[in-house]
């Protein structure tokens, strides 16, 4: 049900505008110009990269079901939600996700936490050798230095961490069930964790839904930890470098460095030996992420207003329409206006 | 000091297990040694103790990256921090760091492909090693089922004046032993060959006219007898299928295969080891690195592809020395599936032609893999042989390999179809003589299963559903 909600919600936002594959790329967190622009244009930040391991088969199966059960119907170039589909969305609550800012890093946070918890659980009974639940060497190293620095053998760390977890997870704005799931994925001495399949059977819920709730819970928990940093010093340390403050792709980042040094698009394109349109993609990505990006250097204020009016008028954010209506503006200008226009004009 | 005293000093054990002392004595005398010891019989002690006595680093060549990591983890668990794994998992920086401090390690695990890199080879040549250990040495045999082409290169790395070589394996036929001696350039090696027979394991066998009847029997058997046990299957799909059937019957079971999330696999292992889970339904991915002494039953849902695999899987039962039962299930035509799978991971002739064409067109043949035209394992093997011989010759080599695999399948099949004592045939297969038949020896000598398998005690699966707060408290602070 949760997966269905996610797919339908994205489909609703993108209907008549994009192909049926777009939600798939969004959920997987595809780092392509198109997907990243869609995040900005359609405000899809919560859903970006929520399910990096989603298989195409699983997704196609869901689409097939949605069509067969008349939640959506596919048109020649796009698709549209039916009244039944819209009703389904109204009857369900959205999950509080924050994919854009955590970018899968929530899993690093949990890896650190779960290895720390497993270590403390064993240390409590003075068992120093156990099979570490996290095999990644960098996580192990991080945890080792965390434990030594915080004098884990005294037993105080376990108590303090327990208090912090109890408080912060308790305050996280999400259902108790989601919290149960996250804690079931922790493991300790004589208390093995539970597999996705086991949790799914117990809660009578598809595995994919369990995993989405888990991700949502980690996002909400991290929000609480990062906002109330003073109250949760240990968890705050584990959450270091987890939230991406200016989330840019690697390539866009290099373009932005040059842009900030004052190079023009043409110059950057020559220096980086990349197409002009690629550099433009990068700048649009920057515009999505950086509220101080001066889009008025590229498009006049009155042109932005015209774009916004056209969007209202045609009830579409499709670039092709807009380009036909406003032929004097380039695609690059249109995209900038779409991702940032509202903030400039309001 | 006596070896026993050294054993006590370094490991805290009062005495050796069969074979260990003989092997260690020979190695300390500088003699090349082949040791065939069953899994769980303390193979690794054979090189660990010499490492402490000689106080020089030991180089261990190991085929599987995950196995290697397990071994290093285990050593670290037991307080040996000077162990390291040199493999392709390391990034450039980590590798450099390890290379610079190599002399500080006591145990250096290495994969064969790493071993032949010039930089690594030179660095290793500068070290004065106590021993060179080749783990899972049967992988060197081209005709074996576990053949790893890279293993053949080990011989090239061995210099004239080298420390003794220790070849370790759980099981090997005389043919494989011959390859080990030859490719590792061993000089009149001492050979310790432990009897492959495990008297506390009873060999059962059930033959069914159809797959459905087999499944029915399996479900019935598992519902009425006590575990813990492992059910081996041939495919991920079948693994999941049996596990869900058992779960629906209210049994405590889980499937285990390479397609599961890494944390899930660990949870399942931990649950099984701690007795929270009675049955594991697994592909052959399960077992290596899992140490559970009280496994009472091993059931093969279908025939294994060769006798050595069968022995290794069966050998996971009854490590505590108490009675255990291994039951092999067979239904007509099972060998067809096994034959199909056997051919599957070898490259076919069309792929060989394609490889040739890529080379002629100046495209790196690796692209075949990226284009989804060949699996990674097949490519690895193909790439190796195509680099050595012309296409036609490679074709004939692979034809022979397939024949060999089919032959191994037939060997297994004939044991299944035979009316003779199963134990005797298994032991003979490895060129050994069976000293003594235990009572309740096998299906043909007669087993009273009731003697060994306790009826399943209905453990009321108390659904202890704690709140997350209580679970967290129990994990971090304990129950009190
Ligand atoms: Zn017998």
């Amino acid at each position: 049900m949760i997966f269905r909600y996610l797919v339908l919600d994205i489909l609703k936002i993108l209907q008549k505008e994009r192909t049926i594959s777009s939600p798939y790329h969004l959920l997987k967190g595809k780092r392509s110009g198109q997907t990243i622009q869609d995040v900005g244009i359609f405000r899809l930040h919560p859903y970006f990269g929520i399910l990096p391991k989603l298989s195409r088969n699983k997704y196609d199966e869901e689409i097939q079901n949605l069509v067969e059960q008349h939640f959506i119907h596919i048109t020649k170039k796009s698709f549209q939600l039916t009244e039944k589909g819209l009703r389904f969305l109204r009857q369900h609550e959205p999950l509080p996700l924050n994919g854009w800012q955590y970018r899968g890093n929530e899993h690093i946070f949990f890896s650190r936490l779960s290895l720390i918890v497993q270590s403390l659980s064993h240390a409590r009974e003075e068992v120093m050798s156990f099979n570490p639940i996290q095999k990644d060497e960098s996580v192990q190293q991080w945890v080792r230095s965390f434990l030594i620095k915080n004098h884990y053998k005294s037993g105080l760390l376990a108590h303090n961490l327990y208090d912090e977890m109890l408080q912060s997870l308790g305050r996280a704005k999400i259902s108790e069930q989601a919290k149960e799931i996250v804690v079931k994925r922790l493991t300790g001495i004589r208390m093995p964790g539970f597999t996705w399949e086991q949790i799914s059977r117990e809660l009578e819920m598809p595995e994919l839904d369990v995993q989405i709730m888990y991700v949502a819970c980690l996002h909400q928990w991290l929000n609480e930890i990062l906002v109330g940093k003073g109250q949760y010093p240990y968890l705050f340390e584990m959450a270091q470098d987890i939230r991406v403050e200016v989330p840019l792709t690697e390539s866009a980042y290099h373009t932005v460095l040059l842009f900030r040094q004052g190079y023009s698009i043409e110059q950057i394109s020559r220096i980086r030996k990349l197409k002009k349109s690629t550099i433009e993609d990068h700048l649009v990505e920057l515009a999505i992420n950086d509220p101080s990006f001066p889009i008025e250097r590229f498009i006049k204020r009155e042109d932005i207003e015209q774009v916004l009016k056209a969007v209202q008028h045609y009830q579409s954010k499709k670039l092709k329409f807009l380009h036909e209506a406003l032929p004097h503006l380039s695609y690059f200008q249109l995209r900038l206006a779409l991702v940032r226009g509202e903030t400039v004009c309001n | 000091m006596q070896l026993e005293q050294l054993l006590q000093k370094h490991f805290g054990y009062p005495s050796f297990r069969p074979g260990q002392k003989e092997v260690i004595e020979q190695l300390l005398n500088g003699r090349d040694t082949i040791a065939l010891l069953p899994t769980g019989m303390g193979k690794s002690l054979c090189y660990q103790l010499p490492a402490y006595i000689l106080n020089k680093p030991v180089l261990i060549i190991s085929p599987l990256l995950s196995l290697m990591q397990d071994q290093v983890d285990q050593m670290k668990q037991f307080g040996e921090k000077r162990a390291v794994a040199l493999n392709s998992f390391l990034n450039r920086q980590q590798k450099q760091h390890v290379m610079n401090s190599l002399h500080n390690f006591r145990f250096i695990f290495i994969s064969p492909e790493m071993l032949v890199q010039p930089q690594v080879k030179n660095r290793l040549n500068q070290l004065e090693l106590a021993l060179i250990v080749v783990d899972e040495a049967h992988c060197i045999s081209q005709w074996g089922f576990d053949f790893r082409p890279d293993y053949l290169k080990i011989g090239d790395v061995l210099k004239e004046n080298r420390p003794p070589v220790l070849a370790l394996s759980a099981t090997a036929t005389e043919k494989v032993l011959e390859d080990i001696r030859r490719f590792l350039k061993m000089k009149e090696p001492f050979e310790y060959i432990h009897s492959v027979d495990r008297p506390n394991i009873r060999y059962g066998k059930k033959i069914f006219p159809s797959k459905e009847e087999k499944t029915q029997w399996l479900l019935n058997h598992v519902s009425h007898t006590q575990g813990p046990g492992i059910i081996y299957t041939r495919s991920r799909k079948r693994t999941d299928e049996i596990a869900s059937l058992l779960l629906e019957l209210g049994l405590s079971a889980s499937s285990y295969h390479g397609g599961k999330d890494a944390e899930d696999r660990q949870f399942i292992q931990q649950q099984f080891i701690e007795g929270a889970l009675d049955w594991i339904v697994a592909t052959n991915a399960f077992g290596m690195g899992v140490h559970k002494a009280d496994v009472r039953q091993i059931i093969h849902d279908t025939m294994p592809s060769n006798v050595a695999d069968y022995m290794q899987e069966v050998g996971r039962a009854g490590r505590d020395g108490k009675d255990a039962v291994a039951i092999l299930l067979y239904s007509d035509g099972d060998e067809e599936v096994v034959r199909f799978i056997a051919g599957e991971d070898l490259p076919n002739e069309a792929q060989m032609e394609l490889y040739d064409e890529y080379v002629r067109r100046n495209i790196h043949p690796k692209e075949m893999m990226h284009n989804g035209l060949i699996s990674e394992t097949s490519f690895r093997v193909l790439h190796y042989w195509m680099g050595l011989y012309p296409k036609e010759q490679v074709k004939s080599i692979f034809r022979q390999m397939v024949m060999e695999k089919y032959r191994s399948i037939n060997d297994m099949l004939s044991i299944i179809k035979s009316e003779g004592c199963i134990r005797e045939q298994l032991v003979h297969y490895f060129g050994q003589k069976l000293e003594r038949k235990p009572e309740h020896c096998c299906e043909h000598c007669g087993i009273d299963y009731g003697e060994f398998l306790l009826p399943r005690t209905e453990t009321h699966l108390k659904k202890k559903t704690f709140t997350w707060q209580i679970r967290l408290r129990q994990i971090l602070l304990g129950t009190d």
Side-chain angles (χ1 to χ4, degrees), chain A residues 115-149:
Chain A
L115 187 54
I116 288 169
V117 166
Q118 188 193 21
S119 307
L120 291 175
S121 178
H122 283 81
R124 189 189 75 229
E125 304 205 3
E126 283 167 47
V127 177
M128 290 309 164
S129 69
F130 56 88
N131 193 352
I133 184 73
Q134 302 299 336
K135 297 294 179 198
D136 184 302
E137 188 70 34
S138 64
V139 171
Q140 290 188 1
Q141 246 156 34
W142 195 97
V143 167
R144 216 171 286 138
S145 62
F146 175 92
L147 290 173
I148 292 168
K149 190 174 86 190

Side-chain angles (χ1 to χ4, degrees), chain A residues 117 121 124 129-130 132 134-135 176 180 183 185-188 190 192-196 198 201-202, chain B residues 73 77 244 247 260-261 263-264 266-267 270-271 274 465-466 468 471-478:
Chain A
V117 166
S121 178
R124 189 189 75 229
S129 69
F130 56 88
Q134 302 299 336
K135 297 294 179 198
E176 288 299 292
E180 306 277 347
V183 175
R185 295 293 292 178
L186 290 171
T187 198
R190 287 188 309 279
F194 294 90
T195 66
W196 295 119
Q198 288 166 340
R201 279 178 188 271
E202 194 193 318
Chain B
D73 287 348
Q77 278 174 34
S244 3
L247 282 169
K260 297 227 163 203
D261 164 298
E263 282 174 17
D264 274 3
Q266 293 239 33
F267 291 156
Q270 203 188 343
Q271 290 172 6
E274 298 192 355
T465 33
F466 301 128
W468 64 265
R471 178 171 165 81
L472 197 58
R473 189 183 168 84
Q474 284 184 336
I475 292 178
L476 272 173
L477 308 180

Side-chain angles (χ1 to χ4, degrees), chain B residues 203 420-424 434 437-438 440-446:
Chain B
Y203 299 98
C421 170
I422 299 173
R423 182 182 311 272
E424 215 160 62
L434 183 61
K437 267 191 206 179
H440 302 279
C441 162
C442 70
E443 197 71 39
H444 295 297
C445 302

Side-chain angles (χ1 to χ4, degrees), chain B residues 265-398:
Chain B
R265 278 186 305 200
Q266 293 239 33
F267 291 156
I268 296 167
Q269 280 190 21
Q270 203 188 343
Q271 290 172 6
F272 188 58
I273 289 169
E274 298 192 355
L277 197 60
D278 289 338
W279 288 92
I280 289 215
V281 192
T283 57
N284 50 11
F286 183 78
M288 291 218 214
V290 178
H291 304 280
K292 183 172 171 71
D294 64 343
V295 175
R296 299 269 73 88
Q297 295 201 55
I298 303 279
I299 299 176
H300 280 83
D301 167 59
T302 187
M303 68 172 287
S305 54
N306 60 67
V307 181
D309 275 4
Y310 179 65
M311 290 303 267
Q312 189 151 22
E313 284 159 10
V314 161
R316 297 194 174 114
R319 297 251 176 101
D320 54 5
K322 294 181 190 156
D323 286 316
V325 172
I327 307 176
L328 198 161
L329 311 184
Y330 172 86
S331 64
D332 272 335
D334 277 358
E335 65 271 24
E336 298 306 324
V337 183
V338 179
R339 279 197 193 115
F340 177 75
I341 296 170
E344 224 180 13
D345 32 280
L346 285 180
N348 57 37
E349 302 207 347
Q351 287 165 332
M352 290 172 215
E353 295 289 345
L354 203 61
Y355 185 102
D356 215 39
E357 200 182 312
Y358 270 61
V359 174
R360 266 187 285 120
R361 287 215 218 134
N362 245 331
I363 311 170
H364 197 290
K366 243 190 192 157
E367 290 303 315
M368 292 169 68
M369 209 159 67
H370 300 148
N371 295 336
L373 297 168
I374 191 170
S375 75
E376 209 187 315
T377 1
S378 299
F379 179 77
R380 200 180 58 203
V381 183
L382 180 61
H383 187 56
Y384 175 78
W385 289 104
M386 290 296 277
L388 283 183
Y389 301 112
K391 186 180 67 190
E392 288 312 313
Q393 209 172 333
V394 175
K395 277 188 185 171
S396 97
I397 290 174
F398 278 108

Side-chain angles (χ1 to χ4, degrees), chain B residues 81-212:
Chain B
K81 303 288 178 227
R82 290 162 65 187
V84 70
L86 248 177
N87 55 39
S88 47
F89 284 168
L90 299 178
N91 62 34
R92 183 186 288 262
Q93 204 186 345
Q94 291 168 317
K95 185 179 152 195
Q96 204 48 53
H97 176 76
V98 172
M99 292 286 285
N100 290 338
S101 51
L102 211 52
H103 52 282
N104 290 329
F105 290 102
R106 197 186 291 279
F107 298 102
I108 305 163
F109 289 84
I110 193 167
S111 58
E113 74 269 15
M114 201 60 132
L115 189 63
V116 294
Q117 290 181 8
Q119 186 204 7
V120 178
K121 207 161 116 181
N122 288 338
R123 184 75 182 88
L124 284 171
N125 279 338
Q126 295 164 0
L127 286 183
E128 205 185 320
L129 297 169
L131 275 183
I132 296 173
V133 182
V134 181
D135 203 1
E136 310 289 340
H138 58 271
C139 295
I140 208 167
S141 175
Q142 321 175 25
W143 310 120
F145 34 89
D146 259 347
F147 174 53
R148 308 236 147 201
D150 281 327
Y151 254 51
L152 287 176
K153 297 181 191 150
I154 298 175
D156 305 341
V157 185
L158 300 174
K159 299 176 298 178
E160 240 336 282
N161 88 47
R162 55 162 174 82
V165 171
L166 168 63
L168 290 170
S169 181
T171 44
T173 57
E174 181 46 43
K175 207 168 165 191
V176 173
L177 276 175
E178 230 175 81
D179 278 348
I180 293 177
R181 285 180 214 119
R182 185 153 58 99
F183 290 117
L184 293 180
K185 300 177 181 160
M186 296 180 111
K187 304 158 198 156
E188 297 174 6
F190 168 73
E191 294 176 12
Y192 180 87
I193 296 176
H194 189 270
S195 167
V196 292
D197 184 40
R198 294 274 309 278
N200 63 323
I201 299 176
R202 322 285 152 162
Y203 299 98
K205 176 180 90 180
K206 303 281 170 202
I207 295 184
F208 303 91
S210 72
K211 193 177 159 194
E212 290 69 37

Side-chain angles (χ1 to χ4, degrees), chain A residues 71-341:
Chain A
F71 284 89
I72 56 174
H73 68 89
I74 308 250
T75 60
K76 217 184 228 160
K77 285 183 189 150
S78 190
F79 52 85
Q80 216 175 332
L81 265 68
T82 61
E83 186 43 46
K84 187 177 174 193
L86 292 168
R87 203 179 325 124
F88 177 89
L89 281 180
R90 283 194 299 272
Q91 284 162 352
H92 290 81
E93 286 277 304
L95 269 180
L97 288 156
N98 195 353
W100 188 250
Q101 255 163 334
Y102 292 116
R103 295 272 166 122
N105 290 346
E106 64 273 17
H107 298 294
I108 299 177
F109 163 76
F110 189 79
S111 304
R112 291 172 181 169
L113 177 69
S114 77
L115 187 54
I116 288 169
V117 166
Q118 188 193 21
S119 307
L120 291 175
S121 178
H122 283 81
R124 189 189 75 229
E125 304 205 3
E126 283 167 47
V127 177
M128 290 309 164
S129 69
F130 56 88
N131 193 352
I133 184 73
Q134 302 299 336
K135 297 294 179 198
D136 184 302
E137 188 70 34
S138 64
V139 171
Q140 290 188 1
Q141 246 156 34
W142 195 97
V143 167
R144 216 171 286 138
S145 62
F146 175 92
L147 290 173
I148 292 168
K149 190 174 86 190
N150 293 303
H151 312 288
Y152 73 106
K153 280 185 186 163
S154 73
L156 217 61
L157 179 59
H159 273 93
N160 290 336
L161 184 60
Y162 170 71
D163 287 341
E164 281 190 18
M165 288 172 79
L166 202 64
Q167 291 289 328
S168 56
L169 189 55
R171 284 185 195 142
K173 295 182 187 69
I174 195 154
S175 70
E176 288 299 292
Q177 196 175 46
K179 297 173 188 175
E180 306 277 347
I181 294 172
V182 166
V183 175
K184 275 188 173 12
R185 295 293 292 178
L186 290 171
T187 198
I189 191 164
R190 287 188 309 279
M191 298 214 47
F194 294 90
T195 66
W196 295 119
E197 193 197 3
Q198 288 166 340
I199 300 174
S200 135
R201 279 178 188 271
E202 194 193 318
L203 301 180
E204 293 172 355
M205 199 191 261
E207 264 180 56
L208 205 50
D209 286 5
V210 173
Q211 287 169 359
I212 298 168
M213 282 181 79
Y214 164 86
V215 169
C217 184
L218 289 181
H219 288 173
Q220 290 309 308
W221 192 7
L222 279 162
N223 283 352
E224 172 63 29
I225 291 165
L226 293 171
V227 170
K229 53 187 165 187
Q231 302 171 63
Y232 320 117
Y234 293 125
L235 289 170
F236 187 73
E237 198 179 331
M238 289 176 224
Q240 253 173 27
D241 311 319
I242 294 300
R243 188 167 165 139
V244 185
E245 294 307 338
V246 183
L248 289 178
T249 53
E250 184 74 15
S251 184
Y253 180 72
H254 290 294
T255 295
V256 168
L257 287 183
L258 293 170
F259 177 74
R260 288 194 173 141
Q261 285 170 37
Y263 290 99
S264 72
I265 294 181
E266 286 73 17
Q267 285 170 319
I268 299 174
S269 149
R270 237 173 295 127
I271 296 171
R272 297 209 57 204
K273 298 194 178 65
L274 290 171
K275 276 190 280 180
K276 193 172 156 232
S277 61
T278 309
I279 304 300
E280 289 175 354
D281 281 347
H282 292 163
L283 292 182
V284 173
E285 204 183 318
L286 178 64
I288 293 170
N289 288 297
D290 180 4
S292 66
F293 177 82
I295 75 160
E296 283 158 285
R297 256 179 69 179
F298 298 99
I299 174 171
K300 280 185 290 201
R301 209 189 157 90
E302 52 265 37
D303 285 334
I304 298 174
E305 279 164 12
Q306 272 193 11
V307 174
L308 296 181
K309 271 193 205 124
V311 169
Q312 275 296 322
H313 184 75
Y314 294 102
Q315 278 299 303
S316 172
K317 290 181 174 176
K318 235 183 196 154
L319 289 170
K320 234 169 78 190
F321 280 149
L322 297 171
H323 191 57
E324 248 180 78
L326 306 164
H328 67 291
L329 293 178
S330 71
Y331 279 106
F332 176 51
Q333 290 173 313
L334 288 172
R335 276 147 60 201
L336 286 177
L338 285 176
V339 301
R340 279 283 307 287

